[in-house]
Amino acid sequence: MQDEIIRYENAGIHFGSKKVLSNFSLCIPKGKKILMKGKSGTGKSTLFKILLGFEQLSEGSVYYRGVPLSPRVAWQIRKDVAYVSQDTDLGEGPVRDLLEEVRSYRPNREKIAPEKLHILMQELELEKDILEKDFENLSGGEKQRIGILIALLLERDIFLLDEATSALDAGLKKKVAEHFLKHSHWTLFVISHDREWEKDGVEIVTIGSNGSD
Amino acid sequence: MTSPDISIPSLILCFLLLVIPLAISYRIKLQISRTTIDSVSRMTVQLGMVGVFLTYVFDLNNGVLNLAWVMGMVTIASYTTIRNVELKMNKLLLPVILSFMAANLSVLLYFNEFVLDLGNLLEARYLIPIGGMILGNSLRGNIVGMGEFYEDIRRNENRYLYSLSLGASRYEALIPYIRKCLRSALRPTLANIATAGVVFLPGMMTGQILGGTSPILAIKYQISIMVALYVSTAMSTSFSIFSTIQTTFDEYGLVKKEIYREKGKRKGTRK
């Protein structure tokens, strides 16, 4: 139990009067790889947002390292966890400046080393000149890769990946999934419809098929 | 040398000009006819009352009363700001009033003491009109600044949340929004300053010249007042943003949805 990272206990999510999820329980120990699947509108993304303190559970509870979620815990999670959302929105301006902004946040100082940046950019098939381009003019796939790039640069070891590879081509999907899966001590909590994540050692959790209406 | 009187029939002739914007509004469905009539009537009634009242206040010239008058203006300016930016009063009024007071009163008193070198700091003839100008400009700056800040945070919520998820503190995540809205708030005042005299003769200077003051003295007043306007607008807008942030965000660092007045549809609050 000591290396338990995330645990949902009888979690329920209502949007207004509509119950989208109920009685959801899941325990994610350190190093575990979870792939969460289910139709859209079943509250998968919301489960991530709850951990980050962006949404509240309607019922049940969430624990992080055994401690029930509170504002203090949520602020800690934001420092410990790398989150890639469905649509990475970094803001306006050149990618380089935006990365610098991310780097200026207190927990990220000393992170985002230039050598590492170049290696990862190559791996993600990002051209060097992308750093000078305005983020808002990038394609969906490029934005997504920037999101993955940042998540990897922060040197965190718990990942919440919400459809992080949906806009990539098949070759790159495979490469990204393999990159994440090869680190045995990384804890992965992934929402994806991509087959590339369905590998040995990945536990598939399907939600939305039971419980709720 | 005094200005010619404006008789009541002349005023009516002036109001007649309003037919033009009303016609435009009607023709292209701007839907500002009501607001135009409301605003003009309000202005007329307010200024009429102020005219009568100021006559008494100037005659009495009681320091405490003058200051109270300015405080009243501060309250109204704060109230108007919040109303105009589609936000709710309860969480915002107090921080905005305090910001307006701290910024505008300090600039006003400094101006009266060190620039005009008045014997009586609270002299009605200076305190009230100059206070009014400073507050009016701050009001405009605050409407732009606060409006843009809270609108931007709401519209680009994902961007803000993403910054938080990357480990940013509330301040670190908000600072790009603060920079942007302060720039917008100060831009009109800066443009006014830069074009003063070339594009337009500022209102106060015009008034003084119409009242018979020499252009040189009028210009010196105008220069100092423009500096004061810029400083007080910069101060009050920054203070308003920084102080309201303390009451409009929850412990998770999220903006409280209930501060927004219903304008159009919003997703139901998820509880």
Side-chain angles (χ1 to χ4, degrees):
Chain A
M1 275 315 267
Q2 200 167 16
D3 57 356
E4 157 196 314
I5 303 288
I6 297 162
R7 181 158 51 95
Y8 296 92
E9 231 177 58
N10 301 319
I13 298 165
H14 309 168
F15 291 161
S17 57
K18 192 172 170 243
K19 286 190 180 186
V20 296
L21 183 69
S22 54
N23 273 320
F24 176 77
S25 295
L26 177 69
C27 179
I28 308 178
K30 189 166 166 40
K32 184 95 182 169
K33 277 81 178 151
I34 300 271
L35 173 61
M36 192 158 52
K37 302 177 78 172
K39 293 200 191 73
S40 58
T42 47
K44 300 189 298 295
S45 300
T46 310
L47 283 173
F48 282 8
K49 290 182 183 160
I50 284 161
L51 274 174
L52 294 161
F54 300 159
E55 303 267 356
Q56 305 286 315
L57 268 185
S58 311
E59 52 188 46
S61 32
V62 200
Y63 299 85
Y64 176 68
R65 296 185 194 272
V67 185
L69 197 82
S70 64
R72 199 181 52 78
V73 173
W75 284 105
Q76 187 58 44
I77 292 176
R78 294 168 190 173
K79 293 177 191 153
D80 295 352
V81 167
Y83 168 62
V84 182
S85 69
Q86 287 179 47
D87 39 359
T88 297
D89 187 358
L90 254 191
E92 292 154 22
V95 173
R96 185 185 294 283
D97 296 358
L98 297 171
L99 287 180
E100 206 42 56
E101 180 103 24
V102 173
R103 190 171 185 236
S104 73
Y105 304 154
R106 186 173 286 274
N108 307 341
R109 308 254 165 99
E110 319 292 314
K111 304 279 166 64
I112 313 195
E115 324 78 81
K116 205 177 168 202
L117 174 67
H118 288 129
I119 296 170
L120 282 170
M121 280 178 64
Q122 254 168 19
E123 205 161 325
L124 291 167
E125 296 170 23
L126 289 165
E127 303 290 334
K128 261 191 185 148
D129 65 353
I130 203 166
L131 293 176
E132 317 306 330
K133 289 188 187 160
D134 281 342
F135 181 80
E136 64 267 34
N137 296 333
L138 301 185
S139 71
E142 285 172 323
K143 285 183 182 169
Q144 206 160 46
R145 277 178 280 167
I146 298 287
I148 298 169
L149 179 71
I150 293 173
L152 291 171
L153 284 170
L154 296 179
E155 297 172 19
R156 301 177 180 182
D157 55 10
I158 305 166
F159 293 87
L160 301 177
L161 309 177
D162 189 352
E163 294 291 1
T165 47
S166 59
L168 307 183
D169 63 54
L172 208 48
K173 279 184 211 258
K174 189 160 174 282
K175 213 162 151 184
V176 170
E178 278 169 4
H179 185 101
F180 277 100
L181 292 170
K182 76 179 176 203
H183 295 84
S184 59
H185 66 290
W186 283 5
T187 309
L188 299 185
F189 193 8
V190 180
I191 298 172
S192 182
H193 290 92
D194 293 331
R195 282 283 164 79
E196 285 75 3
W197 291 97
E198 297 177 18
K199 289 280 158 58
D200 289 345
V202 177
E203 185 182 323
I204 298 178
V205 174
T206 308
I207 68 166
S209 52
N210 56 343
S212 60
D213 52 8
Chain B
M1 201 165 60
T2 48
S3 322
D5 189 26
I6 298 181
S7 62
I8 298 295
S10 326
L11 266 184
I12 291 172
L13 284 178
C14 183
F15 281 133
L16 206 57
L17 284 173
L18 289 171
V19 172
I20 299 167
L22 288 177
I24 296 174
S25 172
Y26 175 75
R27 188 72 186 82
I28 61 173
K29 299 194 173 66
L30 267 185
Q31 299 184 319
I32 55 160
S33 311
R34 248 201 86 103
T35 324
T36 305
I37 293 170
D38 275 2
S39 304
V40 173
S41 334
R42 268 187 66 170
M43 169 192 74
T44 311
V45 173
Q46 285 162 6
L47 288 182
M49 280 161 54
V50 166
V52 173
F53 207 85
L54 279 186
T55 313
Y56 285 108
V57 174
F58 281 19
D59 283 346
L60 282 173
N61 198 14
N62 173 310
V64 176
L65 182 65
N66 300 344
L67 201 59
W69 178 270
V70 173
M71 297 291 197
M73 295 199 295
V74 166
T75 310
I76 294 170
S78 312
Y79 181 84
T80 313
T81 302
I82 300 170
R83 252 181 59 111
N84 269 281
V85 295
E86 311 277 343
L87 295 172
K88 282 192 185 152
M89 289 296 157
N90 49 3
K91 292 229 166 38
L92 288 156
L93 190 58
L94 191 63
V96 174
I97 288 184
L98 291 178
S99 306
F100 266 76
M101 279 221 265
N104 295 317
L105 276 186
S106 54
V107 172
L108 179 59
L109 294 178
Y110 180 96
F111 191 83
N112 282 0
E113 171 70 30
F114 298 108
V115 182
L116 299 185
D117 201 6
L118 294 181
N120 173 12
L121 263 190
L122 304 178
E123 173 81 38
R125 215 153 61 83
Y126 297 92
L127 190 78
I128 293 172
I130 295 175
M133 285 173 63
I134 287 179
L135 275 167
N137 206 70
S138 283
L139 174 69
R140 244 176 298 159
N142 271 274
I143 288 176
V144 173
M146 298 255 293
E148 187 170 315
F149 179 76
Y150 283 101
E151 190 51 41
D152 208 11
I153 282 287
R154 172 153 78 163
R155 200 178 39 230
N156 295 314
E157 196 188 18
N158 277 340
R159 185 177 298 174
Y160 171 68
L161 295 183
Y162 184 51
S163 305
L164 291 184
S165 83
L166 293 170
S169 66
R170 188 180 67 188
Y171 174 78
E172 287 170 329
L174 284 178
I175 197 72
Y177 296 86
I178 297 175
R179 278 190 208 117
K180 206 168 140 215
C181 78
L182 284 181
R183 272 190 215 119
S184 307
L186 295 178
R187 210 173 288 130
T189 308
L190 283 174
N192 262 351
I193 291 177
T195 54
V198 183
V199 179
F200 77 113
L201 286 186
M204 177 172 109
M205 201 176 117
T206 311
Q208 280 187 307
I209 292 176
L210 287 179
T213 310
S214 82
I216 294 295
L217 182 58
I219 276 166
K220 283 194 276 187
Y221 264 87
Q222 190 60 50
I223 291 171
S224 10
I225 205 77
M226 285 205 132
V227 172
L229 291 187
Y230 180 56
V231 174
S232 60
T233 304
M235 269 171 83
S236 66
T237 315
S238 321
F239 287 3
S240 292
I241 303 273
F242 283 108
S243 62
T244 53
I245 285 173
Q246 308 306 320
T247 57
T248 51
F249 285 77
D250 65 17
E251 316 147 276
Y252 287 95
L254 310 186
V255 66
K256 295 175 184 162
K257 294 279 187 291
E258 69 264 25
I259 64 159
Y260 292 101
R261 280 214 316 261
E262 276 320 315
K263 137 180 135 172
K265 282 153 272 166
R266 278 290 292 163
K267 286 183 287 182
T269 33
R270 292 171 181 183
K271 258 276 143 194

